[in-house]
Amino acid sequence: MFPPECTIPLTVVKSDGGYTYDTSDLAAIRNRLLDEQCNWLIYVVDNGQSIHFDGIFASARMAGWYNPSVAKVEHVGFGVVLGEDKKKFKTRSGDTVKLSDLLDEGLRRAAEKLKEKEREKVLTAEELKSAQEAVAFGCIKYADLSHCRTNDYVFSFDKMLEDKGNTAVYLLYAYTRIKSIARSANVDRAAIEQAAQSTSVSLDHQKEWKLGKALLQFPEIVIKISEDLLIHSLCEYMYELATSFSEFYDSCYCIEKGADGRIKSINMGRILLCEATAMVLEQCFNILGIQPVEKM
């Protein structure tokens, strides 16, 4: 089969009567478009298959199954994961790395990271386990999604587990820090919801204004990634939001305490900014498939 504007033909039936991937992919796209009436097909397959899918999509158009004005069909290609030697990521013996082994190693390293920070002294056993899983699974997912999917990237646990820069660990810590602010002020969920109805949020301070603008960018980012399917833009936004919050928190007091450590005053408008930031970050984590924790 010779699809239009394609340099390589598709082999639908071999000379011996056998079938190929071309056959099954043509049958699949026909079924999805005509029988299942799908209006958006997304093929998440590595960049090396781009020519193959160009042929499949062109053939579907030629056969009358695929009408671009009715349905959207896209190949979401991705690059190769490299080891720190800049070669294709494999075990020392040359085998493909198993995901289960990768996750187990992530759990081990996350436990070491938390122990290094002596978190077992302030967290319950259940909270520590949740934090370990959040760091382990989150850092692997985030490292993959924070790079432009069309590019190759180097897999490094050491870089993934850094608590500075655009990493899952930094963002998870930022989220837990934000969630701790209301707890420190003894402000519960009911008080926050009530304040949201009656308290105005001032953006007079430069850092308040910067954080407010960053929060308002969230819908635009969601629309962008839903159109171009480049999820790293969301990761870049999360990092920008977290750094904007850090600047805000360092410059604008939310809770004022006296010399004796007792709370003198609470700026509820700023507490609401904190909660809005936490809510947006939580939604971002949800899109990425990462489970944040409130204590870490």
Side-chain angles (χ1 to χ4, degrees), residues 31-49:
N31 172 260
R32 289 162 182 158
L33 291 171
L34 299 186
D35 298 336
E36 297 185 23
Q37 296 288 303
C38 296
N39 55 21
W40 193 2
L41 304 182
I42 301 173
Y43 291 80
V44 184
V45 188
D46 72 89
N47 288 332
Q49 300 298 317

Side-chain angles (χ1 to χ4, degrees), residues 186-207:
N186 297 318
V187 177
D188 60 17
R189 172 53 52 187
I192 290 171
E193 291 176 355
Q194 183 178 355
Q197 301 297 322
S198 58
T199 305
S200 61
V201 177
S202 169
L203 300 177
D204 293 336
H205 194 283
Q206 180 184 2
K207 299 304 181 183

Side-chain angles (χ1 to χ4, degrees), residues 35-101:
D35 298 336
E36 297 185 23
Q37 296 288 303
C38 296
N39 55 21
W40 193 2
L41 304 182
I42 301 173
Y43 291 80
V44 184
V45 188
D46 72 89
N47 288 332
Q49 300 298 317
S50 59
I51 294 175
H52 167 73
F53 283 109
D54 286 344
I56 294 295
F57 301 160
S59 297
R61 284 197 303 271
M62 185 173 68
W65 308 334
Y66 168 38
N67 183 348
S69 65
V70 175
K72 189 192 303 188
V73 176
E74 294 183 73
H75 170 217
V76 174
F78 55 84
V80 177
V81 181
L82 307 174
E84 295 192 63
D85 58 0
K86 304 295 177 68
K87 296 179 181 179
K88 196 169 182 180
F89 190 42
K90 293 183 179 294
T91 63
R92 290 181 180 178
S93 61
D95 298 326
T96 301
V97 179
K98 293 181 180 179
L99 179 59
S100 58
D101 294 339

Side-chain angles (χ1 to χ4, degrees), residues 280-291:
V280 170
L281 282 176
E282 188 171 0
Q283 287 299 316
C284 291
F285 280 127
N286 183 51
I287 292 171
L288 297 177
I290 294 174
Q291 179 64 51

Side-chain angles (χ1 to χ4, degrees), residues 5 15 38 53 61 104 111 155 167 170 173 182 212 229 241 253 289:
E5 300 180 6
S15 58
C38 296
F53 283 109
R61 284 197 303 271
D104 287 343
F155 186 96
T167 66
Y170 172 78
Y173 272 125
L229 304 179
L241 179 61
Y253 83 87

Side-chain angles (χ1 to χ4, degrees), residues 2-296:
F2 292 85
E5 300 180 6
C6 295
T7 57
I8 300 176
L10 298 182
T11 303
V12 182
V13 182
K14 295 193 294 184
S15 58
D16 62 0
Y19 301 111
T20 68
Y21 284 118
D22 295 344
T23 318
S24 56
D25 282 339
L26 282 171
I29 196 170
R30 183 188 183 282
N31 172 260
R32 289 162 182 158
L33 291 171
L34 299 186
D35 298 336
E36 297 185 23
Q37 296 288 303
C38 296
N39 55 21
W40 193 2
L41 304 182
I42 301 173
Y43 291 80
V44 184
V45 188
D46 72 89
N47 288 332
Q49 300 298 317
S50 59
I51 294 175
H52 167 73
F53 283 109
D54 286 344
I56 294 295
F57 301 160
S59 297
R61 284 197 303 271
M62 185 173 68
W65 308 334
Y66 168 38
N67 183 348
S69 65
V70 175
K72 189 192 303 188
V73 176
E74 294 183 73
H75 170 217
V76 174
F78 55 84
V80 177
V81 181
L82 307 174
E84 295 192 63
D85 58 0
K86 304 295 177 68
K87 296 179 181 179
K88 196 169 182 180
F89 190 42
K90 293 183 179 294
T91 63
R92 290 181 180 178
S93 61
D95 298 326
T96 301
V97 179
K98 293 181 180 179
L99 179 59
S100 58
D101 294 339
L102 205 60
L103 296 177
D104 287 343
E105 179 66 8
L107 286 168
R108 185 185 69 79
R109 290 182 180 240
E112 289 178 355
K113 188 78 173 179
L114 292 166
K115 187 176 181 180
E116 179 185 312
K117 292 182 175 292
E118 299 184 331
R119 303 312 296 164
E120 74 278 4
K121 294 182 179 180
V122 294
L123 299 176
T124 65
E126 185 177 349
E127 289 169 343
L128 189 64
K129 183 176 183 294
S130 296
Q132 179 192 10
E133 291 177 350
V135 170
F137 305 150
C139 78
I140 294 172
K141 283 185 179 181
Y142 192 84
D144 193 65
L145 297 173
S146 61
H147 293 84
C148 180
R149 61 172 168 76
T150 58
N151 298 335
D152 300 343
Y153 78 92
V154 175
F155 186 96
S156 169
F157 266 121
D158 291 337
K159 290 182 179 179
M160 287 179 192
L161 291 168
E162 287 180 358
D163 53 13
K164 295 177 182 175
N166 189 7
T167 66
V169 178
Y170 172 78
L171 293 171
L172 286 166
Y173 272 125
Y175 176 80
T176 57
R177 180 189 185 191
I178 296 168
K179 294 299 288 184
S180 71
I181 295 169
R183 289 199 304 270
S184 298
N186 297 318
V187 177
D188 60 17
R189 172 53 52 187
I192 290 171
E193 291 176 355
Q194 183 178 355
Q197 301 297 322
S198 58
T199 305
S200 61
V201 177
S202 169
L203 300 177
D204 293 336
H205 194 283
Q206 180 184 2
K207 299 304 181 183
E208 290 175 323
W209 179 248
K210 183 178 180 181
L211 178 59
K213 287 196 297 182
L215 288 167
L216 290 175
Q217 290 172 4
F218 178 55
E220 297 175 21
I221 296 297
V222 173
I223 292 171
K224 179 183 182 300
I225 63 174
S226 68
E227 291 175 345
D228 62 21
L229 304 179
L230 294 168
I231 202 76
H232 72 280
S233 299
L234 180 67
C235 299
E236 291 173 353
Y237 168 72
M238 292 176 71
Y239 180 60
E240 179 187 339
L241 179 61
T243 53
S244 295
F245 177 83
S246 182
E247 292 175 13
F248 154 78
Y249 191 67
D250 290 342
S251 303
C252 306
Y253 83 87
C254 297
I255 309 166
E256 185 180 1
K257 293 184 178 181
D260 59 357
R262 294 184 180 180
I263 297 174
K264 292 176 61 178
S265 65
I266 299 172
N267 188 317
M268 282 304 296
R270 288 175 177 169
I271 292 292
L272 290 176
L273 269 179
C274 295
E275 287 300 305
T277 305
M279 288 172 65
V280 170
L281 282 176
E282 188 171 0
Q283 287 299 316
C284 291
F285 280 127
N286 183 51
I287 292 171
L288 297 177
I290 294 174
Q291 179 64 51
V293 289
E294 294 196 6
K295 294 182 179 181
M296 191 163 75

